[in-house]
Amino acid sequence: MHLSTESAAPTPGTVRPGGRTARTRSAVRDAVLTGLAEHGYPGLTVEYVAERSGVHKTTVYRRWGGVEGLVADALDLAGEDAWTPPDTGNLEGDLRALAREVTETFGSASAAAAPTAFIAAAFQSERAAQALRDFYTERFARCESVVRRAVDRGEAPSGSDAAAVVRAVSAPLFFRVLITREPIDAPLADQTAAAVAAAVRAGAYLPARR
Amino acid sequence: MHLSTESAAPTPGTVRPGGRTARTRSAVRDAVLTGLAEHGYPGLTVEYVAERSGVHKTTVYRRWGGVEGLVADALDLAGEDAWTPPDTGNLEGDLRALAREVTETFGSASAAAAPTAFIAAAFQSERAAQALRDFYTERFARCESVVRRAVDRGEAPSGSDAAAVVRAVSAPLFFRVLITREPIDAPLADQTAAAVAAAVRAGAYLPARR
């Protein structure tokens, strides 16, 4: 579900219409991701993006305004993928698969580079922070189907706070990787999923508890 | 429990020995926190810290080496406070108090400035990341007494993974404030505490589950 260069790359048959404009946007987005990964947000410049993407600097300025606009648009584009949450047939399995995606993303330096760079940029740019908020709001809304299916199967009490559940299963992993700077691994993902599933079953995510 | 200017400030009767050296270190630390909050890590300079603290630039270079050393030492100093975790008499109450500390810290712009700046700096400096890891490792080790007391009272199964429990109750709040950029509030802190307490009671944090 995460912000990675890989997930945003087009695959055969999925290229959206748009021709040259879409190709330009995609080339610029790739240059932004590479620049963020190599130099971080403070070192990203329009000059770098123009040179790396082969798109003229005046075109970059005209269409994106500057570095903040470039980062925000790269995030918007990352949100346009066709990702759907896992469907393993039971709540704990789905939560485990979601948690494992986080450990897999951050276990790979190339997959971790883009999400890490976007999250770092949001500390320095309010526009990047807004784009990140929009990205995660939409992404976690997709994840909520995991909880709806669990309610339909009778695994979760009706009325469980799906938004809180899907965030709770990612949070301890992101928290360690990007805030407390501690290692994460698949057993930790599984423990996190087991804990959240147990809390759901116990009714701790019913609205009365908020 | 969090990295704030307030918690690190000396209170009467608690000033540690050290005289002029300790006062210099404290003045430099205050200048680092102010600089981080005002300019962020990319804008922090030894010149700024020297001017703001009144400590000569050559002294700052000699004792701290540069900006990375300044940030790391400010974090070390923040870890030297006398903070102890809440003791409300029951597990969910203690977890709720821990979670509420996070919402209170990030609900106040002045209290949030230092932790946010340190966490942002760790994206750009490996030395800051190591200092942050050390800070949180030590801080969460203090928090584990909350789980040990719950085991002693028979509220939590013996062998529960205390390190995971105390991180799980903070993580969804930090995740929203600093990663997904969503709002947090006291009811969310309470929901998080209720969920983690329910998972503990269900045995989801027993080591066999990892």
PDB file of all heavy atoms in Angstrom, chain A residues 42 123-124 132-133 161 164 167 179-182 185 191 195 199 205 210, chain B residues 42 123-124 132-133 161 164 167 179-182 185 191 195 199 205 210:
ATOM      1  N   PRO A  42      15.778  19.035   1.339  1.00  0.00           N
ATOM      2  CA  PRO A  42      16.529  20.310   1.334  1.00  0.00           C
ATOM      3  C   PRO A  42      17.440  20.448   0.116  1.00  0.00           C
ATOM      4  O   PRO A  42      17.779  21.561  -0.276  1.00  0.00           O
ATOM      5  CB  PRO A  42      17.368  20.239   2.618  1.00  0.00           C
ATOM      6  CG  PRO A  42      16.700  19.213   3.467  1.00  0.00           C
ATOM      7  CD  PRO A  42      16.094  18.229   2.521  1.00  0.00           C
ATOM      8  N   PHE A 123       7.978  17.377   6.865  1.00  0.00           N
ATOM      9  CA  PHE A 123       8.436  18.147   8.026  1.00  0.00           C
ATOM     10  C   PHE A 123       8.852  19.553   7.616  1.00  0.00           C
ATOM     11  O   PHE A 123       8.958  20.442   8.455  1.00  0.00           O
ATOM     12  CB  PHE A 123       9.629  17.453   8.702  1.00  0.00           C
ATOM     13  CG  PHE A 123       9.237  16.272   9.556  1.00  0.00           C
ATOM     14  CD1 PHE A 123       9.230  14.992   9.036  1.00  0.00           C
ATOM     15  CD2 PHE A 123       8.860  16.452  10.879  1.00  0.00           C
ATOM     16  CE1 PHE A 123       8.871  13.906   9.812  1.00  0.00           C
ATOM     17  CE2 PHE A 123       8.497  15.378  11.671  1.00  0.00           C
ATOM     18  CZ  PHE A 123       8.497  14.090  11.130  1.00  0.00           C
ATOM     19  N   GLN A 124       9.120  19.760   6.334  1.00  0.00           N
ATOM     20  CA  GLN A 124       9.660  21.052   5.914  1.00  0.00           C
ATOM     21  C   GLN A 124       8.748  21.822   4.973  1.00  0.00           C
ATOM     22  O   GLN A 124       9.009  22.988   4.690  1.00  0.00           O
ATOM     23  CB  GLN A 124      11.020  20.816   5.257  1.00  0.00           C
ATOM     24  CG  GLN A 124      11.983  20.216   6.283  1.00  0.00           C
ATOM     25  CD  GLN A 124      13.295  19.840   5.674  1.00  0.00           C
ATOM     26  OE1 GLN A 124      13.395  18.867   4.938  1.00  0.00           O
ATOM     27  NE2 GLN A 124      14.279  20.639   5.950  1.00  0.00           N
ATOM     28  N   LEU A 132       0.609  14.524   1.601  1.00  0.00           N
ATOM     29  CA  LEU A 132       0.809  13.247   2.297  1.00  0.00           C
ATOM     30  C   LEU A 132      -0.455  12.850   3.058  1.00  0.00           C
ATOM     31  O   LEU A 132      -0.881  11.695   3.042  1.00  0.00           O
ATOM     32  CB  LEU A 132       1.999  13.389   3.254  1.00  0.00           C
ATOM     33  CG  LEU A 132       2.659  12.110   3.752  1.00  0.00           C
ATOM     34  CD1 LEU A 132       3.250  11.304   2.612  1.00  0.00           C
ATOM     35  CD2 LEU A 132       3.770  12.448   4.756  1.00  0.00           C
ATOM     36  N   ARG A 133      -1.070  13.847   3.703  1.00  0.00           N
ATOM     37  CA  ARG A 133      -2.330  13.624   4.427  1.00  0.00           C
ATOM     38  C   ARG A 133      -3.390  13.094   3.453  1.00  0.00           C
ATOM     39  O   ARG A 133      -4.069  12.110   3.725  1.00  0.00           O
ATOM     40  CB  ARG A 133      -2.782  14.941   5.064  1.00  0.00           C
ATOM     41  CG  ARG A 133      -4.007  14.862   5.939  1.00  0.00           C
ATOM     42  CD  ARG A 133      -4.359  16.251   6.492  1.00  0.00           C
ATOM     43  NE  ARG A 133      -3.254  16.837   7.232  1.00  0.00           N
ATOM     44  CZ  ARG A 133      -2.672  18.006   6.971  1.00  0.00           C
ATOM     45  NH1 ARG A 133      -3.129  18.786   6.007  1.00  0.00           N
ATOM     46  NH2 ARG A 133      -1.648  18.430   7.683  1.00  0.00           N
ATOM     47  N   ASP A 161     -14.509   0.747  14.563  1.00  0.00           N
ATOM     48  CA  ASP A 161     -13.893   1.927  13.940  1.00  0.00           C
ATOM     49  C   ASP A 161     -12.799   1.471  12.954  1.00  0.00           C
ATOM     50  O   ASP A 161     -11.628   1.336  13.306  1.00  0.00           O
ATOM     51  CB  ASP A 161     -13.323   2.807  15.051  1.00  0.00           C
ATOM     52  CG  ASP A 161     -12.723   4.109  14.545  1.00  0.00           C
ATOM     53  OD1 ASP A 161     -12.499   4.250  13.321  1.00  0.00           O
ATOM     54  OD2 ASP A 161     -12.469   4.991  15.391  1.00  0.00           O
ATOM     55  N   ALA A 164      -9.558   3.477  12.519  1.00  0.00           N
ATOM     56  CA  ALA A 164      -8.586   3.326  13.609  1.00  0.00           C
ATOM     57  C   ALA A 164      -7.882   1.970  13.528  1.00  0.00           C
ATOM     58  O   ALA A 164      -6.684   1.859  13.775  1.00  0.00           O
ATOM     59  CB  ALA A 164      -9.281   3.488  14.961  1.00  0.00           C
ATOM     60  N   ARG A 167      -5.147   1.849  10.800  1.00  0.00           N
ATOM     61  CA  ARG A 167      -3.987   2.655  11.181  1.00  0.00           C
ATOM     62  C   ARG A 167      -3.212   1.975  12.312  1.00  0.00           C
ATOM     63  O   ARG A 167      -1.973   2.022  12.343  1.00  0.00           O
ATOM     64  CB  ARG A 167      -4.432   4.055  11.608  1.00  0.00           C
ATOM     65  CG  ARG A 167      -4.758   4.958  10.400  1.00  0.00           C
ATOM     66  CD  ARG A 167      -5.568   6.168  10.810  1.00  0.00           C
ATOM     67  NE  ARG A 167      -5.842   7.071   9.690  1.00  0.00           N
ATOM     68  CZ  ARG A 167      -6.782   6.847   8.758  1.00  0.00           C
ATOM     69  NH1 ARG A 167      -7.548   5.763   8.809  1.00  0.00           N
ATOM     70  NH2 ARG A 167      -6.964   7.712   7.775  1.00  0.00           N
ATOM     71  N   ILE A 179      10.554   6.925  13.528  1.00  0.00           N
ATOM     72  CA  ILE A 179      10.560   7.824  14.685  1.00  0.00           C
ATOM     73  C   ILE A 179      11.540   7.343  15.757  1.00  0.00           C
ATOM     74  O   ILE A 179      12.516   8.023  16.039  1.00  0.00           O
ATOM     75  CB  ILE A 179       9.128   8.066  15.206  1.00  0.00           C
ATOM     76  CG1 ILE A 179       8.344   8.794  14.094  1.00  0.00           C
ATOM     77  CG2 ILE A 179       9.127   8.873  16.506  1.00  0.00           C
ATOM     78  CD1 ILE A 179       6.896   9.052  14.357  1.00  0.00           C
ATOM     79  N   THR A 180      11.311   6.141  16.324  1.00  0.00           N
ATOM     80  CA  THR A 180      12.270   5.683  17.343  1.00  0.00           C
ATOM     81  C   THR A 180      13.515   5.075  16.717  1.00  0.00           C
ATOM     82  O   THR A 180      14.475   4.772  17.417  1.00  0.00           O
ATOM     83  CB  THR A 180      11.636   4.666  18.312  1.00  0.00           C
ATOM     84  OG1 THR A 180      11.284   3.476  17.587  1.00  0.00           O
ATOM     85  CG2 THR A 180      10.391   5.232  18.965  1.00  0.00           C
ATOM     86  N   ARG A 181      13.508   4.885  15.392  1.00  0.00           N
ATOM     87  CA  ARG A 181      14.692   4.408  14.650  1.00  0.00           C
ATOM     88  C   ARG A 181      15.150   3.022  15.111  1.00  0.00           C
ATOM     89  O   ARG A 181      16.334   2.751  15.236  1.00  0.00           O
ATOM     90  CB  ARG A 181      15.836   5.422  14.780  1.00  0.00           C
ATOM     91  CG  ARG A 181      15.458   6.816  14.276  1.00  0.00           C
ATOM     92  CD  ARG A 181      15.480   6.856  12.780  1.00  0.00           C
ATOM     93  NE  ARG A 181      14.821   8.043  12.228  1.00  0.00           N
ATOM     94  CZ  ARG A 181      14.764   8.278  10.913  1.00  0.00           C
ATOM     95  NH1 ARG A 181      15.317   7.436  10.056  1.00  0.00           N
ATOM     96  NH2 ARG A 181      14.135   9.334  10.453  1.00  0.00           N
ATOM     97  N   GLU A 182      14.153   2.133  15.354  1.00  0.00           N
ATOM     98  CA  GLU A 182      14.437   0.763  15.781  1.00  0.00           C
ATOM     99  C   GLU A 182      14.132  -0.196  14.628  1.00  0.00           C
ATOM    100  O   GLU A 182      13.351   0.120  13.739  1.00  0.00           O
ATOM    101  CB  GLU A 182      13.550   0.410  16.987  1.00  0.00           C
ATOM    102  CG  GLU A 182      13.838   1.296  18.203  1.00  0.00           C
ATOM    103  CD  GLU A 182      12.820   1.110  19.322  1.00  0.00           C
ATOM    104  OE1 GLU A 182      11.629   1.439  19.107  1.00  0.00           O
ATOM    105  OE2 GLU A 182      13.205   0.638  20.389  1.00  0.00           O
ATOM    106  N   ASP A 185      10.644  -6.329  11.808  1.00  0.00           N
ATOM    107  CA  ASP A 185      10.758  -7.582  11.058  1.00  0.00           C
ATOM    108  C   ASP A 185       9.385  -8.243  10.962  1.00  0.00           C
ATOM    109  O   ASP A 185       8.405  -7.764  11.552  1.00  0.00           O
ATOM    110  CB  ASP A 185      11.795  -8.519  11.694  1.00  0.00           C
ATOM    111  CG  ASP A 185      11.476  -8.867  13.145  1.00  0.00           C
ATOM    112  OD1 ASP A 185      10.325  -8.647  13.588  1.00  0.00           O
ATOM    113  OD2 ASP A 185      12.368  -9.375  13.839  1.00  0.00           O
ATOM    114  N   GLN A 191       2.954  -9.968  15.291  1.00  0.00           N
ATOM    115  CA  GLN A 191       2.531  -9.645  16.658  1.00  0.00           C
ATOM    116  C   GLN A 191       1.571  -8.454  16.648  1.00  0.00           C
ATOM    117  O   GLN A 191       0.546  -8.456  17.347  1.00  0.00           O
ATOM    118  CB  GLN A 191       3.763  -9.310  17.517  1.00  0.00           C
ATOM    119  CG  GLN A 191       3.429  -8.972  18.960  1.00  0.00           C
ATOM    120  CD  GLN A 191       4.597  -8.256  19.669  1.00  0.00           C
ATOM    121  OE1 GLN A 191       5.083  -7.226  19.215  1.00  0.00           O
ATOM    122  NE2 GLN A 191       5.016  -8.834  20.779  1.00  0.00           N
ATOM    123  N   ALA A 195      -2.317  -8.462  17.874  1.00  0.00           N
ATOM    124  CA  ALA A 195      -2.777  -7.564  18.930  1.00  0.00           C
ATOM    125  C   ALA A 195      -3.999  -6.764  18.477  1.00  0.00           C
ATOM    126  O   ALA A 195      -4.985  -6.642  19.212  1.00  0.00           O
ATOM    127  CB  ALA A 195      -1.643  -6.621  19.349  1.00  0.00           C
ATOM    128  N   ALA A 199      -7.888  -6.929  19.888  1.00  0.00           N
ATOM    129  CA  ALA A 199      -8.589  -5.737  20.370  1.00  0.00           C
ATOM    130  C   ALA A 199      -9.915  -5.548  19.639  1.00  0.00           C
ATOM    131  O   ALA A 199     -10.925  -5.175  20.243  1.00  0.00           O
ATOM    132  CB  ALA A 199      -7.701  -4.504  20.204  1.00  0.00           C
ATOM    133  N   TYR A 205     -12.652  -1.307  19.643  1.00  0.00           N
ATOM    134  CA  TYR A 205     -12.787  -0.287  18.595  1.00  0.00           C
ATOM    135  C   TYR A 205     -14.240   0.096  18.327  1.00  0.00           C
ATOM    136  O   TYR A 205     -14.536   0.731  17.313  1.00  0.00           O
ATOM    137  CB  TYR A 205     -12.090  -0.756  17.308  1.00  0.00           C
ATOM    138  CG  TYR A 205     -10.578  -0.716  17.420  1.00  0.00           C
ATOM    139  CD1 TYR A 205      -9.847  -1.884  17.598  1.00  0.00           C
ATOM    140  CD2 TYR A 205      -9.898   0.490  17.365  1.00  0.00           C
ATOM    141  CE1 TYR A 205      -8.463  -1.850  17.718  1.00  0.00           C
ATOM    142  CE2 TYR A 205      -8.519   0.540  17.479  1.00  0.00           C
ATOM    143  CZ  TYR A 205      -7.810  -0.633  17.657  1.00  0.00           C
ATOM    144  OH  TYR A 205      -6.440  -0.584  17.774  1.00  0.00           O
ATOM    145  N   ARG A 210     -14.753   5.471  22.109  1.00  0.00           N
ATOM    146  CA  ARG A 210     -14.059   6.719  21.765  1.00  0.00           C
ATOM    147  C   ARG A 210     -14.661   7.876  22.523  1.00  0.00           C
ATOM    148  O   ARG A 210     -15.855   7.933  22.726  1.00  0.00           O
ATOM    149  CB  ARG A 210     -14.180   7.010  20.254  1.00  0.00           C
ATOM    150  CG  ARG A 210     -12.909   6.632  19.540  1.00  0.00           C
ATOM    151  CD  ARG A 210     -12.655   7.536  18.356  1.00  0.00           C
ATOM    152  NE  ARG A 210     -11.971   8.754  18.779  1.00  0.00           N
ATOM    153  CZ  ARG A 210     -11.489   9.657  17.914  1.00  0.00           C
ATOM    154  NH1 ARG A 210     -11.596   9.474  16.647  1.00  0.00           N
ATOM    155  NH2 ARG A 210     -10.887  10.742  18.347  1.00  0.00           N
TER     156      ARG A 210
ATOM    157  N   PRO B  42      18.008  21.665   8.544  1.00  0.00           N
ATOM    158  CA  PRO B  42      18.819  22.171   7.434  1.00  0.00           C
ATOM    159  C   PRO B  42      19.306  23.610   7.650  1.00  0.00           C
ATOM    160  O   PRO B  42      20.311  23.998   7.073  1.00  0.00           O
ATOM    161  CB  PRO B  42      17.873  22.115   6.226  1.00  0.00           C
ATOM    162  CG  PRO B  42      16.797  21.156   6.629  1.00  0.00           C
ATOM    163  CD  PRO B  42      16.672  21.282   8.104  1.00  0.00           C
ATOM    164  N   PHE B 123      16.039  12.276  10.024  1.00  0.00           N
ATOM    165  CA  PHE B 123      15.930  11.901   8.609  1.00  0.00           C
ATOM    166  C   PHE B 123      17.165  12.346   7.832  1.00  0.00           C
ATOM    167  O   PHE B 123      17.404  11.890   6.730  1.00  0.00           O
ATOM    168  CB  PHE B 123      14.683  12.526   7.967  1.00  0.00           C
ATOM    169  CG  PHE B 123      13.407  11.822   8.321  1.00  0.00           C
ATOM    170  CD1 PHE B 123      12.642  12.234   9.404  1.00  0.00           C
ATOM    171  CD2 PHE B 123      12.969  10.736   7.570  1.00  0.00           C
ATOM    172  CE1 PHE B 123      11.462  11.582   9.733  1.00  0.00           C
ATOM    173  CE2 PHE B 123      11.793  10.079   7.898  1.00  0.00           C
ATOM    174  CZ  PHE B 123      11.038  10.496   8.980  1.00  0.00           C
ATOM    175  N   GLN B 124      17.928  13.292   8.411  1.00  0.00           N
ATOM    176  CA  GLN B 124      19.032  13.872   7.656  1.00  0.00           C
ATOM    177  C   GLN B 124      20.398  13.629   8.273  1.00  0.00           C
ATOM    178  O   GLN B 124      21.410  13.895   7.635  1.00  0.00           O
ATOM    179  CB  GLN B 124      18.775  15.375   7.505  1.00  0.00           C
ATOM    180  CG  GLN B 124      17.489  15.606   6.729  1.00  0.00           C
ATOM    181  CD  GLN B 124      17.127  17.052   6.663  1.00  0.00           C
ATOM    182  OE1 GLN B 124      16.722  17.656   7.651  1.00  0.00           O
ATOM    183  NE2 GLN B 124      17.309  17.628   5.492  1.00  0.00           N
ATOM    184  N   LEU B 132      18.534   9.620  18.792  1.00  0.00           N
ATOM    185  CA  LEU B 132      17.091   9.477  18.993  1.00  0.00           C
ATOM    186  C   LEU B 132      16.746   8.036  19.391  1.00  0.00           C
ATOM    187  O   LEU B 132      15.937   7.802  20.298  1.00  0.00           O
ATOM    188  CB  LEU B 132      16.365   9.851  17.693  1.00  0.00           C
ATOM    189  CG  LEU B 132      14.891  10.204  17.787  1.00  0.00           C
ATOM    190  CD1 LEU B 132      14.640  11.401  18.675  1.00  0.00           C
ATOM    191  CD2 LEU B 132      14.320  10.471  16.391  1.00  0.00           C
ATOM    192  N   ARG B 133      17.374   7.081  18.722  1.00  0.00           N
ATOM    193  CA  ARG B 133      17.179   5.656  19.052  1.00  0.00           C
ATOM    194  C   ARG B 133      17.560   5.415  20.514  1.00  0.00           C
ATOM    195  O   ARG B 133      16.810   4.794  21.273  1.00  0.00           O
ATOM    196  CB  ARG B 133      18.056   4.809  18.124  1.00  0.00           C
ATOM    197  CG  ARG B 133      17.890   3.303  18.246  1.00  0.00           C
ATOM    198  CD  ARG B 133      18.837   2.580  17.269  1.00  0.00           C
ATOM    199  NE  ARG B 133      18.609   3.005  15.892  1.00  0.00           N
ATOM    200  CZ  ARG B 133      19.529   3.531  15.066  1.00  0.00           C
ATOM    201  NH1 ARG B 133      20.783   3.674  15.455  1.00  0.00           N
ATOM    202  NH2 ARG B 133      19.205   3.901  13.855  1.00  0.00           N
ATOM    203  N   ASP B 161       5.029  -9.026  26.360  1.00  0.00           N
ATOM    204  CA  ASP B 161       6.128  -8.263  25.757  1.00  0.00           C
ATOM    205  C   ASP B 161       5.950  -6.772  26.081  1.00  0.00           C
ATOM    206  O   ASP B 161       5.328  -6.018  25.337  1.00  0.00           O
ATOM    207  CB  ASP B 161       6.108  -8.514  24.241  1.00  0.00           C
ATOM    208  CG  ASP B 161       7.262  -7.850  23.507  1.00  0.00           C
ATOM    209  OD1 ASP B 161       7.931  -6.979  24.088  1.00  0.00           O
ATOM    210  OD2 ASP B 161       7.486  -8.221  22.342  1.00  0.00           O
ATOM    211  N   ALA B 164       6.874  -4.057  23.528  1.00  0.00           N
ATOM    212  CA  ALA B 164       5.908  -3.897  22.434  1.00  0.00           C
ATOM    213  C   ALA B 164       4.656  -3.166  22.915  1.00  0.00           C
ATOM    214  O   ALA B 164       4.096  -2.330  22.203  1.00  0.00           O
ATOM    215  CB  ALA B 164       5.550  -5.262  21.846  1.00  0.00           C
ATOM    216  N   ARG B 167       5.185   0.643  23.298  1.00  0.00           N
ATOM    217  CA  ARG B 167       5.307   1.288  21.985  1.00  0.00           C
ATOM    218  C   ARG B 167       3.946   1.315  21.272  1.00  0.00           C
ATOM    219  O   ARG B 167       3.608   2.306  20.600  1.00  0.00           O
ATOM    220  CB  ARG B 167       6.345   0.578  21.124  1.00  0.00           C
ATOM    221  CG  ARG B 167       7.785   0.943  21.523  1.00  0.00           C
ATOM    222  CD  ARG B 167       8.794  -0.046  20.999  1.00  0.00           C
ATOM    223  NE  ARG B 167      10.166   0.322  21.335  1.00  0.00           N
ATOM    224  CZ  ARG B 167      10.732   0.127  22.535  1.00  0.00           C
ATOM    225  NH1 ARG B 167      10.035  -0.412  23.525  1.00  0.00           N
ATOM    226  NH2 ARG B 167      11.988   0.486  22.741  1.00  0.00           N
ATOM    227  N   ILE B 179       3.414  11.362  10.574  1.00  0.00           N
ATOM    228  CA  ILE B 179       3.544  10.614   9.318  1.00  0.00           C
ATOM    229  C   ILE B 179       2.327  10.831   8.424  1.00  0.00           C
ATOM    230  O   ILE B 179       2.451  11.382   7.343  1.00  0.00           O
ATOM    231  CB  ILE B 179       3.875   9.131   9.592  1.00  0.00           C
ATOM    232  CG1 ILE B 179       5.259   9.064  10.277  1.00  0.00           C
ATOM    233  CG2 ILE B 179       3.867   8.317   8.289  1.00  0.00           C
ATOM    234  CD1 ILE B 179       5.735   7.718  10.685  1.00  0.00           C
ATOM    235  N   THR B 180       1.135  10.411   8.868  1.00  0.00           N
ATOM    236  CA  THR B 180      -0.025  10.626   8.002  1.00  0.00           C
ATOM    237  C   THR B 180      -0.560  12.056   8.109  1.00  0.00           C
ATOM    238  O   THR B 180      -1.432  12.445   7.337  1.00  0.00           O
ATOM    239  CB  THR B 180      -1.170   9.641   8.317  1.00  0.00           C
ATOM    240  OG1 THR B 180      -1.652   9.881   9.648  1.00  0.00           O
ATOM    241  CG2 THR B 180      -0.687   8.204   8.213  1.00  0.00           C
ATOM    242  N   ARG B 181      -0.035  12.825   9.076  1.00  0.00           N
ATOM    243  CA  ARG B 181      -0.388  14.247   9.215  1.00  0.00           C
ATOM    244  C   ARG B 181      -1.869  14.474   9.501  1.00  0.00           C
ATOM    245  O   ARG B 181      -2.514  15.377   8.954  1.00  0.00           O
ATOM    246  CB  ARG B 181       0.046  15.020   7.955  1.00  0.00           C
ATOM    247  CG  ARG B 181       1.541  14.898   7.667  1.00  0.00           C
ATOM    248  CD  ARG B 181       2.336  15.786   8.573  1.00  0.00           C
ATOM    249  NE  ARG B 181       3.767  15.465   8.580  1.00  0.00           N
ATOM    250  CZ  ARG B 181       4.655  16.177   9.269  1.00  0.00           C
ATOM    251  NH1 ARG B 181       4.266  17.182  10.006  1.00  0.00           N
ATOM    252  NH2 ARG B 181       5.924  15.833   9.271  1.00  0.00           N
ATOM    253  N   GLU B 182      -2.429  13.606  10.349  1.00  0.00           N
ATOM    254  CA  GLU B 182      -3.835  13.710  10.743  1.00  0.00           C
ATOM    255  C   GLU B 182      -3.928  14.227  12.181  1.00  0.00           C
ATOM    256  O   GLU B 182      -2.980  14.078  12.954  1.00  0.00           O
ATOM    257  CB  GLU B 182      -4.492  12.323  10.639  1.00  0.00           C
ATOM    258  CG  GLU B 182      -4.475  11.780   9.203  1.00  0.00           C
ATOM    259  CD  GLU B 182      -4.907  10.319   9.138  1.00  0.00           C
ATOM    260  OE1 GLU B 182      -4.190   9.466   9.678  1.00  0.00           O
ATOM    261  OE2 GLU B 182      -5.941  10.043   8.531  1.00  0.00           O
ATOM    262  N   ASP B 185      -6.469  13.529  19.325  1.00  0.00           N
ATOM    263  CA  ASP B 185      -7.115  14.163  20.467  1.00  0.00           C
ATOM    264  C   ASP B 185      -7.222  13.156  21.614  1.00  0.00           C
ATOM    265  O   ASP B 185      -6.852  11.986  21.454  1.00  0.00           O
ATOM    266  CB  ASP B 185      -8.497  14.720  20.074  1.00  0.00           C
ATOM    267  CG  ASP B 185      -9.442  13.653  19.520  1.00  0.00           C
ATOM    268  OD1 ASP B 185      -9.174  12.446  19.698  1.00  0.00           O
ATOM    269  OD2 ASP B 185     -10.460  14.035  18.897  1.00  0.00           O
ATOM    270  N   GLN B 191      -9.003   5.576  23.176  1.00  0.00           N
ATOM    271  CA  GLN B 191      -9.322   4.422  22.348  1.00  0.00           C
ATOM    272  C   GLN B 191      -8.072   3.550  22.156  1.00  0.00           C
ATOM    273  O   GLN B 191      -8.140   2.314  22.230  1.00  0.00           O
ATOM    274  CB  GLN B 191      -9.834   4.884  20.969  1.00  0.00           C
ATOM    275  CG  GLN B 191     -10.204   3.734  20.035  1.00  0.00           C
ATOM    276  CD  GLN B 191     -10.332   4.209  18.582  1.00  0.00           C
ATOM    277  OE1 GLN B 191      -9.421   4.811  18.021  1.00  0.00           O
ATOM    278  NE2 GLN B 191     -11.475   3.924  17.985  1.00  0.00           N
ATOM    279  N   ALA B 195      -7.611  -0.323  23.369  1.00  0.00           N
ATOM    280  CA  ALA B 195      -7.291  -1.385  22.417  1.00  0.00           C
ATOM    281  C   ALA B 195      -6.065  -2.178  22.863  1.00  0.00           C
ATOM    282  O   ALA B 195      -6.060  -3.412  22.833  1.00  0.00           O
ATOM    283  CB  ALA B 195      -7.067  -0.791  21.020  1.00  0.00           C
ATOM    284  N   ALA B 199      -5.804  -6.121  24.063  1.00  0.00           N
ATOM    285  CA  ALA B 199      -4.880  -7.069  23.417  1.00  0.00           C
ATOM    286  C   ALA B 199      -3.979  -7.739  24.456  1.00  0.00           C
ATOM    287  O   ALA B 199      -3.704  -8.943  24.379  1.00  0.00           O
ATOM    288  CB  ALA B 199      -4.052  -6.350  22.352  1.00  0.00           C
ATOM    289  N   TYR B 205       0.233 -10.309  23.383  1.00  0.00           N
ATOM    290  CA  TYR B 205       1.628  -9.881  23.512  1.00  0.00           C
ATOM    291  C   TYR B 205       2.500 -10.933  24.198  1.00  0.00           C
ATOM    292  O   TYR B 205       3.613 -10.630  24.618  1.00  0.00           O
ATOM    293  CB  TYR B 205       1.712  -8.542  24.260  1.00  0.00           C
ATOM    294  CG  TYR B 205       1.251  -7.382  23.392  1.00  0.00           C
ATOM    295  CD1 TYR B 205       0.005  -6.790  23.588  1.00  0.00           C
ATOM    296  CD2 TYR B 205       2.063  -6.899  22.368  1.00  0.00           C
ATOM    297  CE1 TYR B 205      -0.411  -5.737  22.787  1.00  0.00           C
ATOM    298  CE2 TYR B 205       1.643  -5.854  21.563  1.00  0.00           C
ATOM    299  CZ  TYR B 205       0.407  -5.273  21.786  1.00  0.00           C
ATOM    300  OH  TYR B 205      -0.003  -4.244  20.981  1.00  0.00           O
ATOM    301  N   ARG B 210       5.069 -13.981  18.952  1.00  0.00           N
ATOM    302  CA  ARG B 210       6.064 -13.326  18.081  1.00  0.00           C
ATOM    303  C   ARG B 210       6.774 -14.363  17.227  1.00  0.00           C
ATOM    304  O   ARG B 210       7.058 -15.442  17.685  1.00  0.00           O
ATOM    305  CB  ARG B 210       7.114 -12.590  18.923  1.00  0.00           C
ATOM    306  CG  ARG B 210       6.800 -11.126  19.020  1.00  0.00           C
ATOM    307  CD  ARG B 210       8.061 -10.275  19.089  1.00  0.00           C
ATOM    308  NE  ARG B 210       8.661 -10.103  17.777  1.00  0.00           N
ATOM    309  CZ  ARG B 210       9.661  -9.258  17.503  1.00  0.00           C
ATOM    310  NH1 ARG B 210      10.166  -8.526  18.454  1.00  0.00           N
ATOM    311  NH2 ARG B 210      10.156  -9.150  16.301  1.00  0.00           N
TER     312      ARG B 210
END
